[in-house]
Amino acid sequence: MFVTMIDKELLNLFESYLTDKRKTLYKKVIADRTCHFTVVLEDISQPHNASAVLRTCDIFGVQDLHTVENKYINRISKYVAKGSQKWITSKRYKSDGNNTRICFDNLREEGYQIIATSPHNDSCLLKDFDISKKTAFVFGEETEGISDFVKENADGFLNIPMVGFTESLNISVAAAIILQDVTTKLRMSDIDWQLSKEEKEELYFDWLKNSIKNSDVIEENFTNLNF
């Protein structure tokens, strides 16, 4: 939903409920948001892991999170997410079909390459990863990792080098390491990584609405008075 002329009147109404300090903070955070990178969680079984990744996306300015639910329902722990679910755009794939395929098809239509996180033989080391392309990073189920479908259909694989006896990282730790690295490099690059003006307006409108108690009632009353 892009903000139309009538929506701007509603936006002004929503803004009246917030302090100038809060509105300035929203705009500052939105200026650092990006959709150049996104994250896909495939069948994460533990709510604390999915919630930690959600929180990590917010911290590093990655706006969109895609959750694929073939075997497990994606659940969020409010104690781990710390409210980050209000600021991230979550897209769930939970039909009876191949949800991973549906997710990948949608991402490719939006111009993303699919990069699976795995110690695959053809994996690219994190330090060598090319950040120039729009990328969806896929993280698989805690025990088994990414599915065979992901292994067969990913455009590439990404590996975090490890030198200890332990050969794997917790999914939330892996996501944090990868997103911190790639978003830092992104912001130091000449790549056009920020949201468009329309995307910023839409996100600002959504955040205002999510911050106001009974915003749906306020919007309904506004609509009734203007039509």
Side-chain angles (χ1 to χ4, degrees):
M1 178 195 66
F2 292 120
V3 182
T4 63
M5 291 302 293
I6 189 70
D7 289 330
K8 288 183 178 179
E9 295 182 20
L10 179 59
L11 183 147
N12 291 335
L13 176 60
F14 282 157
E15 282 188 321
S16 68
Y17 285 85
L18 275 69
T19 64
D20 289 340
K21 182 178 180 180
R22 173 61 67 170
K23 289 180 286 188
T24 299
L25 175 61
Y26 285 3
K27 292 175 181 179
K28 178 178 181 296
V29 173
I30 287 172
D32 278 325
R33 282 304 208 239
T34 188
C35 289
H36 185 79
F37 297 132
T38 189
V39 169
V40 178
L41 299 182
E42 185 192 37
D43 282 319
I44 303 305
S45 61
Q46 300 298 320
H48 66 272
N49 285 328
S51 303
V53 175
L54 180 71
R55 187 173 169 184
T56 294
C57 287
D58 177 40
I59 288 171
F60 294 117
V62 175
Q63 183 56 38
D64 293 341
L65 174 68
H66 303 258
T67 59
V68 174
E69 303 174 24
N70 291 315
K71 297 188 295 184
Y72 305 109
I73 297 174
N74 185 70
R75 293 186 174 91
I76 297 301
S77 167
K78 64 180 181 180
Y79 301 105
V80 178
K82 299 292 185 182
S84 56
Q85 64 270 25
K86 293 196 303 183
W87 316 117
I88 295 299
T89 304
S90 296
K91 303 177 182 181
R92 298 175 68 181
Y93 300 84
K94 54 178 184 174
S95 69
D96 293 332
N98 185 332
N99 295 305
T100 307
R101 180 189 297 278
I102 296 170
C103 177
F104 281 15
D105 287 346
N106 289 346
L107 287 168
R108 287 196 169 105
E109 286 180 6
E110 295 176 12
Y112 287 96
Q113 66 171 344
I114 309 296
I115 300 296
T117 55
S118 170
H120 192 277
N121 290 338
D122 297 326
S123 292
C124 170
L125 295 179
L126 180 57
K127 67 181 181 66
D128 299 323
F129 182 73
D130 180 3
I131 63 168
S132 64
K133 296 180 181 179
K134 289 180 65 176
T135 302
F137 297 103
V138 184
F139 298 87
E141 193 264 325
E142 292 92 336
T143 304
E144 300 297 328
I146 55 175
S147 66
D148 289 339
F149 179 87
V150 174
K151 292 175 184 177
E152 294 166 3
N153 290 274
D155 298 308
F157 300 88
L158 185 63
N159 186 13
I160 300 172
M162 304 177 205
V163 297
F165 293 107
T166 307
E167 296 181 348
S168 64
L169 289 165
N170 176 277
I171 179 178
S172 62
V173 176
I177 291 172
I178 290 172
L179 294 186
Q180 191 279 334
D181 184 270
V182 298
T183 57
T184 297
K185 292 174 181 174
L186 186 67
R187 290 181 171 84
M188 295 173 63
S189 73
D190 296 327
I191 299 169
D192 183 14
W193 55 267
Q194 291 180 302
L195 302 180
S196 67
K197 177 182 177 182
E198 291 79 10
E199 288 170 331
K200 289 178 180 178
E201 288 179 345
E202 180 181 2
L203 189 57
Y204 179 62
F205 183 87
D206 288 342
W207 284 5
L208 288 175
K209 186 174 179 178
N210 291 340
S211 301
I212 300 169
K213 186 177 181 180
N214 298 323
S215 59
D216 288 338
V217 175
I218 295 171
E219 184 171 7
E220 182 179 358
N221 291 337
F222 172 87
T223 302
N224 291 336
L225 288 173
N226 286 275
F227 286 97

